[in-house]
């Protein structure tokens, strides 16, 4: 396991985020998922997050990310 560190601590934070569409409507296509991923990749540097994995289905998106506290 690879650990990250800063001046005062050592850590390894991984988050599994599931984003669900309201009422589980089947609206997420490949095109929409790719656009969501582009937006996530654009903002990840602002929040010290690294995208590790991105998967989607028609009604939800799975995001596995690594973060700093």
């Amino acid at each position: 396991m690879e650990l990250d560190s800063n001046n005062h601590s050592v850590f390894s934070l991984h988050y599994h985020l599931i984003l669900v569409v309201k009422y589980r409507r089947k609206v997420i296509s490949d095109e929409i998922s790719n656009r969501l991923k582009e937006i996530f990749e654009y903002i990840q540097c602002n929040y010290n997050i690294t995208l590790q994995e991105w998967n989607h289905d028609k009604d939800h998106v799975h995001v596995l990310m690594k973060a700093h506290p």
Side-chain angles (χ1 to χ4, degrees):
M1 174 185 282
E2 184 179 323
L3 298 175
D4 294 321
S5 64
N6 59 20
N7 293 338
H8 303 287
S9 59
V10 177
F11 52 88
S12 179
L13 296 174
H14 294 267
Y15 295 97
H16 181 200
L17 177 65
I18 303 172
L19 304 170
V20 180
V21 177
K22 189 172 183 179
Y23 303 121
R24 301 288 290 216
R25 297 192 193 264
K26 304 200 180 312
V27 296
I28 301 177
S29 64
D30 289 338
E31 182 180 336
I32 292 171
S33 176
N34 290 336
R35 179 63 181 141
L36 291 170
K37 186 176 177 182
E38 286 175 10
I39 294 168
F40 190 89
E41 289 171 340
Y42 178 76
I43 66 169
Q44 72 182 354
C45 60
N46 296 337
Y47 298 99
N48 292 325
I49 295 171
T50 304
L51 180 64
Q52 304 238 308
E53 190 174 326
W54 182 279
N55 293 314
H56 78 280
D57 201 2
K58 295 178 181 177
D59 60 355
H60 65 278
V61 175
H62 286 265
V63 181
L64 182 62
M65 60 186 167
K66 188 175 180 180
H68 289 255

